[in-house]
Amino acid sequence: MELKKGVFAIYRGKEYRASQVVGSRRVYLYTDDASEVANGFVRGPRERYEKVVGPNGVTTVYKCSLYTIYQGIRVQVLPVRNGKADLIYNGTDQADQVRKAGFEQIDKYSYMKVVPLEELEEVLIETSPVPSYQLPENTSGRTPPSRVY
């Protein structure tokens, strides 16, 4: 199962994986689709195609984060692989409840637990704009979480 997570951009009406270098306003677009060479993409490392555009070349840039409610606690979902999800809680507000739910403390303010996907009622995607951009007009601020699992 692949869940939408990471940074994305809308370029010429199409969604691409994206990134930005800190201190640069350029947007790096990525695709596995070889036909995008016709749109100015070039083969890059890691067997994918890339294109660099200026900040005005894209409609928007936004980040998709995964989370779930696990035993009443809102936690981030990190990689999902081999039928299991890595859950992480950052903070101290619910530290006692997190420990009772079986999370291990991995540093001063972070707790982690690996659980089978069957233990998750749903995995939700939260979408937020990267600074200097707005989400497309069909959303206002953050998109409401959408069920994906």
Side-chain angles (χ1 to χ4, degrees), residues 67-92:
Y67 72 94
T68 190
I69 306 300
Y70 183 80
Q71 296 186 13
I73 310 159
R74 184 181 190 274
V75 295
Q76 234 184 324
V77 178
L78 295 178
V80 174
R81 58 182 174 259
N82 301 324
K84 296 184 179 183
D86 294 358
L87 306 181
I88 190 162
Y89 176 83
N90 294 304
T92 58

Side-chain angles (χ1 to χ4, degrees), residues 108-125:
K108 191 172 182 178
Y109 301 112
S110 298
Y111 300 82
M112 188 169 190
K113 182 175 184 177
V114 178
V115 300
L117 285 176
E118 299 81 46
E119 289 187 25
L120 304 180
E121 285 186 36
E122 59 187 352
V123 176
L124 304 164
I125 297 175

Side-chain angles (χ1 to χ4, degrees), residues 1-133:
M1 164 193 296
E2 184 176 350
L3 299 172
K4 185 174 177 177
K5 178 182 178 205
V7 178
F8 297 86
I10 302 295
Y11 172 71
R12 295 187 177 173
K14 187 173 176 184
E15 181 181 70
Y16 294 90
R17 287 203 166 274
S19 67
Q20 283 187 293
V21 175
V22 175
S24 168
R25 299 220 353 126
R26 291 180 292 180
V27 179
Y28 296 78
L29 305 173
Y30 307 101
T31 183
D32 294 327
D33 184 357
S35 70
E36 290 289 349
V37 169
N39 294 320
F41 282 75
V42 296
R43 187 166 192 105
R46 301 186 200 153
E47 304 298 315
R48 65 182 178 185
Y49 297 86
E50 304 176 349
K51 183 172 185 168
V52 181
V53 296
N56 296 327
V58 294
T59 306
T60 188
V61 181
Y62 54 94
K63 181 178 180 180
C64 294
S65 303
L66 302 176
Y67 72 94
T68 190
I69 306 300
Y70 183 80
Q71 296 186 13
I73 310 159
R74 184 181 190 274
V75 295
Q76 234 184 324
V77 178
L78 295 178
V80 174
R81 58 182 174 259
N82 301 324
K84 296 184 179 183
D86 294 358
L87 306 181
I88 190 162
Y89 176 83
N90 294 304
T92 58
D93 293 349
Q94 296 180 298
D96 290 338
Q97 189 175 355
V98 167
R99 282 191 286 273
K100 286 179 187 173
F103 283 70
E104 289 185 36
Q105 190 166 6
I106 57 173
D107 70 21
K108 191 172 182 178
Y109 301 112
S110 298
Y111 300 82
M112 188 169 190
K113 182 175 184 177
V114 178
V115 300
L117 285 176
E118 299 81 46
E119 289 187 25
L120 304 180
E121 285 186 36
E122 59 187 352
V123 176
L124 304 164
I125 297 175
E126 182 176 74
T127 306
S128 55
V130 168
S132 301
Y133 292 96

